[in-house]
Amino acid sequence: MTTIRLTMAQALTRYLASQKTIIDGKTVPIFAGVWAIFGHGNVAAIGEALYQHRDALPTFRAHNEQAMAHAAIAYAKASFRRRMMAVTSSIGPGATNLVTACAMAHVNRLPVLFLPGDIFANRRPDPVLQQVEDFADGTVSVNDVFRPISRYFDRITRPEQILAALPRAMAVLTDPADCGPVTLSLCQDVQAEAYDYPEAFFDEKVWTQRRPRPSDDELAAAVAALRTARKPLIIAGGGVLYSGATETLANFAEAHGIPVAETQAGKSSLPADHPLNMGSIGVTGTSAANELARDADVILAVGTRLQDFTTGSWSLFQNGKTIIGLNTQVFDATKHRALPLVADAQAGLREIGLQLEALSAPEDWTERAAEGRNLWFRAADKATAATNAALPSDGQVIGAVQRALGSGATVVCAAGGLPGELHKLWQAGAPGSYHLEYGYSTMGYEIAGGLGVKMAKPDQEVVVMVGDGSYLMMNSEIATSVMLGLRLTIVVLDNAGYGCINRLQMATGGANFNNLLKDARHDVLPSIDFAAHAASLGAIATKVASIAELEAGLAAAVTNDRTTVLVIDTDPLVTTEEGGNWWDVAVPEVSPRPQVNAARKEYEKAMQAQRVVD
Ligand SMILES: Cc1ncc(C[n+]2csc(CCOP(=O)(O)OP(=O)(O)O)c2C)c(N)n1
Ligand SMILES: [Mg+2]
């Protein structure tokens, strides 16, 4: 056996650089690069190794570990999980800064390789700077917090362990069912230790997309259920996009006259102008989709986790006793006693289609869908129309962005009032042009996420829509986007506080308290100059005074040579009334406030519609 003597860090880096995939017929590295903020625990050994391999495996520097991981997550999502990135940090705070992002990748089933530095395996210098000391357990370090939020976790305490750990990591990162974050916690001393690694370990390995086909029994049960359906509905989740099943879905829906509703992760599975696309479903759903969902008898749920925003906290499917769970992951496929159809979305839809043959949904059902769609579009047009109002709504800003950029742009968002409004109102074009992180809905994802999307789609217009709250939570990667020449268009909607939570507080009977800045304890009411702030980070930044100025600014942003930030004041109270569904938010059972007691009564009534098991 030919061997080569390398440090663990050199071997790991070389291995990552030799992992490949095929995109559009071309073999490319599966890792587009490594995000790194160095410190003790990664600068000496990982840093030295990344420098050696900087051409094959580029290293990118940012300003916050969590934000680097947001960019990596967004890159993987925008690449439909076919390509990915790694993230390395120093020990201690650098590592724990990654925790929120690791949980986000876990919830969203997105592949990211986390490489946090860890304490010394040999324990000689203990306790080192930034080491947490457990009085009762010598094996604990802060990196143990990654265990429950990683799909695969390993602590590398000997250099030869990566011979087993790295192939296991790749298996998880590339598997459609198990896909999620992998954490290899790299003890500082072990990173620097040399070992005689077999040369064959570094052979080029090409990973292709695995497409499990359904079993005969599950397929027969799903087909039998669909044959009895009088009112079938498809829910398209993120799995449709990750499987590349958008064309198959369109063909399937058209062949059988079945309307399609989209989750946050699944939006853009069909273009908005497809006649069978009912738009968003659930709490932030269109009236068109939700009316069908309430009445549908058989629901084909494709590649969705069926989270509460999709199911209206399980109050939405009043008539739908039969759910078919078409999913690569059995955990998802069997939720709420669904008939599981464990398979890749493309393979599953194709095989159901072959067995259904010419079977089509009753015409009155398809016609009802078309009417609902027309009605919805009228409501959406009204909500997004241009206005001269001093404080436009989020919907009106969305309208301006769409008029200025068209459906060719990719919109990026994550938290606040915007995700609900975008889910309802954004008219998506190509698959993946709607990029919402609404699994973990992490404030601060938006700008760093936009950067990751732009890395995946450098030739496309990427527009980040972000509230003032999310902007203030994490904005540092504006500077990174300027540094890397990755031009973003960022629209900041400033409603002077946490508008959506203030509305939720009001809806649950609460007093206006601690959400909008004016309702928070203060000596001085903040008046934040977002444009000046963004300009200080290197962006071209303007505060616009109207929807018309915003549209003009957006048109100019496209030709600017760097990231452009447009700030607009918005109304914190107005949202699109049409559509939507109840969402389970627990209201206090007793309170001195009559408004809370009234909200509790409504809450108890609404809960009666919630399906528990049947
Ligand atoms: C990291 C994080 N902290 C808290 C929350 C809870 N949360 C969701 S939206 C929101 C307010 C967002 O404010 P802003 O970005 O200004 O959007 P707006 O609600 O005003 O539209 C909060 C606090 C969250 N989703 N993520
Ligand atoms: Mg706000």
Side-chain angles (χ1 to χ4, degrees):
M1 182 174 69
T2 329
T3 59
I4 177 166
R5 192 156 181 82
L6 297 170
T7 68
M8 183 272 268
Q10 290 159 359
L12 176 134
T13 310
R14 189 167 162 189
Y15 178 89
L16 295 183
S18 51
Q19 305 306 300
K20 302 284 166 66
T21 192
I22 300 172
I23 306 284
D24 298 332
K26 261 184 36 199
T27 302
V28 294
I30 200 165
F31 289 98
V34 181
W35 286 98
I37 291 181
F38 293 141
H40 103 101
N42 71 340
V43 68
I46 288 279
E48 190 264 352
L50 287 173
Y51 177 76
Q52 278 193 39
H53 291 276
R54 65 194 180 284
D55 292 330
L57 186 69
T59 298
F60 302 102
R61 180 191 179 287
H63 300 290
N64 174 310
E65 288 87 357
Q66 184 183 336
M68 300 196 297
H70 288 182
I73 288 167
Y75 181 88
K77 183 176 166 76
S79 307
F80 304 119
R81 312 199 296 194
R82 304 290 311 284
R83 297 189 71 200
M84 59 196 76
M85 300 181 103
V87 183
T88 174
S89 77
S90 54
I91 82 160
T96 49
N97 265 1
L98 293 172
V99 171
T100 297
C102 188
M104 185 198 305
H106 192 284
V107 168
N108 287 284
R109 318 281 171 87
L110 289 167
V112 180
L113 179 59
F114 288 96
L115 301 169
D118 207 339
I119 55 173
F120 282 70
N122 66 26
R123 315 250 178 99
R124 279 205 295 264
D126 280 13
V128 299
L129 175 72
Q130 301 169 324
Q131 177 170 349
V132 164
E133 294 174 276
D134 188 301
F135 294 164
D137 185 346
T139 67
V140 165
S141 89
V142 290
N143 288 8
D144 286 289
V145 301
F146 287 93
R147 287 179 190 272
I149 49 170
S150 299
R151 289 250 174 255
Y152 172 56
F153 174 93
D154 210 341
R155 175 170 284 122
I156 305 301
T157 58
R158 295 174 62 98
E160 64 270 39
Q161 285 171 349
I162 60 169
L163 291 167
L166 281 168
R168 287 183 71 177
M170 289 310 300
V172 169
L173 292 166
T174 58
D175 185 75
D178 288 348
C179 187
V182 167
T183 301
L184 299 181
S185 190
L186 306 175
C187 291
Q188 170 170 176
D189 50 339
V190 183
Q191 288 176 32
E193 250 176 82
Y195 181 79
D196 294 308
Y197 290 95
E199 272 282 7
F201 186 58
F202 306 105
D203 286 352
E204 180 178 284
K205 163 80 184 158
V206 180
W207 298 88
T208 56
Q209 194 162 12
R210 190 168 300 126
R211 294 194 180 281
R213 294 173 59 181
S215 71
D216 292 346
D217 290 352
E218 289 187 355
L219 182 62
V223 169
L226 280 167
R227 281 193 192 285
T228 65
R230 310 299 302 155
K231 299 171 176 179
L233 178 69
I234 296 169
I235 302 176
V240 172
L241 293 166
Y242 300 143
S243 157
T246 54
E247 224 180 284
T248 313
L249 174 67
N251 292 339
F252 181 90
E254 288 160 20
H256 308 293
I258 306 181
V260 177
E262 296 175 323
T263 70
Q264 282 278 15
K267 192 170 160 97
S268 76
S269 286
L270 294 183
D273 60 8
H274 191 286
L276 284 166
N277 189 351
M278 299 296 112
S280 56
I281 190 169
V283 177
T284 53
T286 67
S287 54
N290 283 352
E291 277 164 27
L292 296 186
R294 283 182 197 110
D295 215 17
D297 55 3
V298 176
I299 291 140
L300 175 57
V302 189
T304 166
R305 299 184 305 122
L306 292 172
Q307 64 132 308
D308 63 348
F309 264 74
T310 301
T311 64
S313 307
W314 285 109
S315 72
L316 190 54
F317 310 114
Q318 294 293 320
N319 190 35
K321 301 299 181 206
T322 306
I323 298 171
I324 301 164
L326 169 49
N327 209 295
T328 45
Q329 173 54 255
V330 68
F331 179 88
D332 296 307
T334 49
K335 280 177 182 164
H336 261 254
R337 303 203 312 140
L339 292 175
L341 184 62
V342 177
D344 164 67
Q346 226 184 81
L349 286 172
R350 207 179 313 111
E351 297 205 22
I352 303 174
L354 285 174
Q355 300 220 1
L356 280 182
E357 294 171 339
L359 196 79
S360 210
E363 244 169 56
D364 58 343
W365 178 246
T366 320
E367 274 164 21
R368 188 172 146 194
E371 278 161 29
R373 202 178 119 79
N374 287 340
L375 276 178
W376 171 257
F377 272 122
R378 255 178 267 156
D381 283 349
K382 218 170 70 198
T384 52
T387 175
N388 293 322
L391 288 182
S393 66
D394 288 357
Q396 287 161 338
V397 174
I398 290 169
V401 174
Q402 285 235 272
R403 283 189 297 276
L405 302 181
S407 56
T410 295
V411 65
V412 181
C413 188
L418 274 166
E421 294 296 281
L422 285 164
H423 197 206
K424 281 184 181 178
L425 301 172
W426 187 263
Q427 310 286 313
S433 62
Y434 180 84
H435 183 114
L436 260 282
E437 191 284 287
Y438 210 65
Y440 210 48
S441 188
T442 309
M443 289 174 72
Y445 173 80
E446 299 86 346
I447 292 170
L451 185 61
V453 175
K454 189 71 179 175
M455 288 175 119
K457 305 169 156 191
D459 302 327
Q460 289 190 29
E461 187 59 25
V462 176
V463 59
V464 175
M465 295 189 71
V466 59
D468 55 308
S470 270
Y471 179 97
L472 287 174
M473 213 172 262
M474 198 173 285
N475 49 61
S476 45
E477 303 333 314
I478 289 175
T480 310
S481 80
V482 174
M483 178 167 86
L484 292 174
L486 292 165
R487 187 183 58 78
L488 300 172
T489 300
I490 300 171
V491 182
V492 182
L493 291 83
D494 182 6
N495 58 12
Y498 303 148
C500 70
I501 309 296
N502 176 57
R503 293 193 299 272
L504 185 59
Q505 187 169 48
M506 290 159 72
T508 51
N512 297 79
F513 171 60
N514 206 48
N515 281 309
L516 298 183
L517 291 169
K518 72 176 175 55
D519 302 323
R521 191 178 290 261
H522 62 269
D523 280 344
V524 178
L525 186 65
S527 162
I528 296 156
D529 187 341
F530 288 93
H533 180 271
S536 77
L537 295 175
I540 297 170
T542 320
K543 169 95 184 253
V544 298
S546 66
I547 287 288
E549 270 188 34
L550 175 62
E551 286 187 49
L554 285 162
V558 177
T559 58
N560 283 347
D561 64 353
R562 62 200 141 99
T563 290
T564 301
V565 177
L566 297 162
V567 184
I568 185 163
D569 288 343
T570 52
D571 192 318
L573 296 176
V574 184
T575 57
T576 305
E577 292 291 322
E578 289 85 353
N581 191 79
W582 177 72
W583 182 37
D584 190 343
V585 175
V587 180
E589 211 167 340
V590 292
S591 168
R593 276 178 65 80
Q595 297 94 323
V596 174
N597 299 330
R600 175 74 196 188
K601 271 210 184 95
E602 287 299 308
Y603 176 60
E604 284 173 8
K605 227 182 338 174
M607 271 197 294
Q608 288 166 13
Q610 210 166 20
R611 265 164 82 137
V612 180
V613 175
D614 73 327

